[in-house]
Amino acid sequence: MFANIKMPQSIFYTIVIACSTLIFCESIQVLWRSGNPEYFELWGEKYMLVLYGHFFERITVPVLLALYTYVSFAKIRVGKLFCLVWEVMLIGGVISCAMEQDFSNILYYIKLIAYGVNMIILLKLWQVIDDEVQDRKLRLRARDEELVNEHLV
């Protein structure tokens, strides 16, 4: 039996909002860092290239998660593999973000919270999938018992 369900709308919106928060925080952080003239004078254009490379590396996971979540919500069904793969990717994103150790920046904490929200909501989606599978099993069992009872009578 396949454990695929249509993604609930509340889970879809929560994932997309958390991903957009991550992208927004990274964008603000890059704008703030690129506005520092001391580093630009010291490193020149290489500084900007490093910032842009770092920026695109950081937003890859949230952008891909949001896009794939939209496609899953609009066109296809989701299963436990969806949850598992994106949990692993989010763990990598959290580790990458936590290694910054920029404790004086509020955006650092907002990004960690957004990653946490995404991880928790994917665990909730896993539970929704489990509940749906259990409901299907119960309905099939009840139908089978009903058919057996009809056949015996």
Side-chain angles (χ1 to χ4, degrees):
M1 177 176 307
F2 296 106
N4 292 331
I5 65 165
K6 180 164 174 40
M7 182 180 291
Q9 190 173 12
S10 61
I11 290 176
F12 166 71
Y13 283 122
T14 306
I15 290 173
V16 170
I17 288 170
C19 287
S20 63
T21 302
L22 284 166
I23 295 166
F24 177 75
C25 288
E26 286 294 338
S27 301
I28 295 297
Q29 200 164 6
V30 165
L31 284 173
W32 179 70
R33 287 180 179 166
S34 66
N36 193 344
E38 295 171 3
Y39 289 129
F40 189 75
E41 289 174 8
L42 182 64
W43 293 94
E45 289 183 23
K46 291 180 183 178
Y47 178 67
M48 296 303 286
L49 291 174
V50 168
L51 278 179
Y52 288 144
H54 186 69
F55 172 69
F56 287 120
E57 179 262 326
R58 288 294 175 96
I59 67 166
T60 301
V61 171
V63 166
L64 292 177
L65 175 60
L67 287 175
Y68 194 76
T69 300
Y70 172 73
V71 170
S72 297
F73 178 72
K75 304 284 183 189
I76 61 177
R77 301 167 70 87
V78 295
K80 289 184 177 182
L81 184 61
F82 173 87
C83 298
L84 183 67
V85 167
W86 286 109
E87 279 289 339
V88 170
M89 297 290 282
L90 287 172
I91 288 171
V94 166
I95 290 170
S96 175
C97 181
M99 288 179 65
E100 273 185 20
Q101 296 181 353
D102 190 8
F103 301 120
S104 63
N105 192 348
I106 187 74
L107 297 175
Y108 173 77
Y109 296 107
I110 293 173
K111 288 187 294 186
L112 288 178
I113 290 170
Y115 274 117
V117 166
N118 268 337
M119 293 173 77
I120 290 169
I121 204 71
L122 284 175
L123 291 175
K124 180 180 178 190
L125 180 59
W126 182 285
Q127 186 62 44
V128 168
I129 293 168
D130 271 346
D131 292 344
E132 181 69 26
V133 168
Q134 292 301 323
D135 287 345
R136 285 182 194 171
K137 285 181 181 178
L138 289 174
R139 283 184 296 206
L140 286 175
R141 187 174 296 133
R143 187 192 71 183
D144 290 346
E145 289 174 2
E146 197 175 289
L147 289 174
V148 168
N149 290 338
E150 286 177 7
H151 187 63
L152 291 177
V153 173

